[in-house]
Amino acid sequence: MLALNMSNHSAIGQLGTVTNRILVVEDEESIRELLVLGLEEEGYEVVAVADGHSALTQCQATTPQLQEFPFDLIILDLMLPKVSGLDLCRFLRYQNNHVPILIVSAKTTETDRVLGLEVGADDYISKPFSMRELVARCRALLRRQRLNVAADPPTIQFQEVVLYPEEYRVAVRGIDVNLSPREFRLLELFMQNPRRVWDREQLLDRVWGIDFIGDRKTVDVHIRWLREKLEIDPSQPQYITTVRGFGYRFG
């Protein structure tokens, strides 16, 4: 079903590098093996799995120290056992993951293509296809991703909270939340110093200023407001926790 033209490889050139890791998610063994062979010949590092659950496991195998996503591109079939390709794509986008996704599917109707793109895929190619075309699409997606990363403003991220210092913007679980200037500065201080414990006086000095005159309880009020905007359950916070007798800690 996959139209592999191996004679075209020399014309394509070495498009990949060892730093470009591609996850191939395809349940049909013959197509999966041909994809791996063709992509590896182009210089890509390839990990291949046969079902959506295995793909999800691979996607969650981040580096704990750096919280890096392990792949630069995902080639994804739609009709997969255990977890469908559409569900996997939805999950990654819900997690605010912007890894390029190329759907490779036997479904060829316009409705199928539109659905795949609407759930977050970046490109869609129908079976059968040539390896030359697939590699060209991979190259285009990786190039576009590099340009997007270069253009992105600096961010501070912890799990599902992303702070954009230059835009004064915060997104939680992929959705922007409205913070007051004081709340933003407080969260920024927390995220720049994860795991550090701050007492009220330290927070007042750093966020409100050393000349602040007022009730120290304003810190507790702002912490409560932040929890209401960040936490799934503010009564059991996961991000901003209280260290009894000392103060507050983020992370």
Side-chain angles (χ1 to χ4, degrees):
M1 194 167 189
L2 174 62
L4 259 183
N5 187 348
M6 302 302 289
S7 63
N8 286 330
H9 284 188
S10 60
I12 299 172
Q14 294 298 315
L15 301 179
T17 69
V18 294
T19 58
N20 291 138
R21 301 186 77 234
I22 297 178
L23 175 65
V24 172
V25 192
E26 168 61 61
D27 63 327
E28 191 168 336
E29 184 177 4
S30 60
I31 297 179
R32 187 171 65 251
E33 290 179 349
L34 288 172
L35 282 171
V36 172
L37 175 63
L39 291 168
E40 287 183 342
E41 286 196 3
E42 296 300 329
Y44 294 107
E45 181 181 349
V46 184
V47 175
V49 296
D51 62 80
H53 185 269
S54 298
L56 185 59
T57 300
Q58 289 288 337
C59 289
Q60 293 176 329
T62 56
T63 303
Q65 294 82 1
L66 300 178
Q67 292 294 307
E68 291 181 346
F69 189 72
F71 300 102
D72 302 294
L73 173 70
I74 297 176
I75 298 176
L76 180 64
D77 189 15
L78 290 184
M79 295 181 290
L80 296 169
K82 299 183 180 180
V83 177
S84 74
L86 287 176
D87 286 340
L88 179 61
C89 189
R90 286 192 189 98
F91 174 80
L92 290 171
R93 295 311 186 226
Y94 176 76
Q95 294 292 315
N96 202 33
N97 189 313
H98 300 293
V99 61
I101 297 176
L102 170 60
I103 287 180
V104 176
S105 177
K107 294 185 174 183
T108 59
T109 68
E110 180 182 7
T111 300
D112 292 322
R113 292 194 299 272
V114 169
L115 179 59
L117 296 172
E118 284 186 344
V119 299
D122 298 276
D123 200 359
Y124 193 111
I125 185 171
S126 300
K127 300 175 184 177
F129 54 86
S130 72
M131 196 65 199
R132 182 185 183 90
E133 180 184 3
L134 182 132
V135 171
R137 289 173 183 258
C138 289
R139 183 183 184 185
L141 289 174
L142 289 167
R143 181 173 61 247
R144 187 189 310 165
Q145 180 72 355
R146 286 194 297 269
L147 292 174
N148 289 341
V149 170
D152 281 346
T155 62
I156 306 172
Q157 180 170 359
F158 182 86
Q159 296 180 9
E160 296 180 313
V161 179
V162 185
L163 185 143
Y164 302 82
E166 294 184 358
E167 301 178 23
Y168 295 96
R169 180 166 66 90
V170 173
V172 182
R173 291 175 286 280
I175 301 174
D176 283 1
V177 296
N178 294 319
L179 300 184
S180 70
R182 199 81 73 184
E183 290 169 347
F184 183 90
R185 292 302 186 192
L186 185 58
L187 179 60
E188 183 179 33
L189 180 64
F190 276 134
M191 295 186 70
Q192 288 173 338
N193 301 272
R195 309 297 299 171
R196 173 173 172 173
V197 177
W198 300 84
D199 62 31
R200 287 196 191 97
E201 293 296 338
Q202 291 171 324
L203 293 173
L204 284 171
D205 288 346
R206 295 290 294 270
V207 178
W208 279 260
I210 58 175
D211 57 348
F212 172 77
I213 300 176
D215 191 344
R216 298 194 318 161
K217 292 288 187 179
T218 188
V219 172
D220 305 327
V221 173
H222 280 76
I223 294 291
R224 186 179 74 248
W225 290 343
L226 270 179
R227 284 173 173 166
E228 290 173 353
K229 297 176 180 180
L230 302 181
E231 307 285 357
I232 295 176
D233 182 359
S235 65
Q236 298 182 0
Q238 297 179 344
Y239 293 116
I240 304 175
T241 57
T242 301
V243 182
R244 296 193 180 280
F246 293 96
Y248 296 103
R249 177 176 61 204
F250 185 89

